[in-house]
Amino acid sequence: QVQLVESGGGSVQAGGSLRLSCAASGRTFSSYAMGWFRQAPGKEREFVAAIWSGGSTYYAYSVKGRFTISRDNAKNTVYLQMNSLKPEDTAVYYCAADPRPEMVLSSESNYWGQGTQVTVSS
């Protein structure tokens, strides 16, 4: 069983930055693929970024070059550094984990956090 707790959300003006954190329980964190997703009001949940156990990273086109995903296995934590934020980045951001990378990419991870709100004003 893995529990995920996100933090770091908040309100920021366009062009600003935020760093989200996702703390995971469990001793097998380092072997898990991790992902960030977001869901805006009235929209479907969408993929934002993912990082595999070996460190490979993947990004949605809409955030590439602005967001950076990273992980610290010693702290059982994955991060999402968000720069040059835009109003369209406003959403609830969710952390996801699964030992199978394909499940993270397909939004079918076994484990999800409760989400953290990010609001970007123009």
Side-chain angles (χ1 to χ4, degrees):
Q1 186 76 9
V2 175
Q3 291 186 326
L4 305 173
V5 179
E6 302 99 332
S7 62
S11 297
V12 65
Q13 289 193 325
S17 298
L18 283 173
R19 187 176 83 154
L20 305 183
S21 300
C22 173
S25 64
R27 290 175 288 182
T28 58
F29 172 81
S30 62
S31 67
Y32 275 62
M34 303 295 296
W36 285 98
F37 292 77
R38 65 187 182 187
Q39 187 167 20
K43 294 189 176 181
E44 304 236 336
R45 184 171 60 196
E46 65 174 0
F47 169 78
V48 175
I51 185 166
W52 294 168
S53 59
S56 298
T57 57
Y58 301 87
Y59 297 94
Y61 179 80
S62 59
V63 307
K64 201 165 188 178
R66 300 188 298 122
F67 290 11
T68 302
I69 189 171
S70 61
R71 65 191 298 160
D72 185 336
N73 290 333
K75 296 182 178 180
N76 277 17
T77 301
V78 63
Y79 304 98
L80 185 68
Q81 178 67 44
M82 306 186 295
N83 298 330
S84 302
L85 282 161
K86 304 176 181 180
E88 51 263 43
D89 294 318
T90 295
V92 177
Y93 283 71
Y94 297 92
C95 176
D98 200 288
R100 302 159 293 179
E102 66 274 16
M103 301 305 282
V104 172
L105 281 181
S106 65
S107 191
E108 295 179 50
S109 300
N110 259 336
Y111 306 104
W112 292 87
Q114 82 289 349
T116 186
Q117 177 71 46
V118 171
T119 303
V120 185
S121 58
S122 57

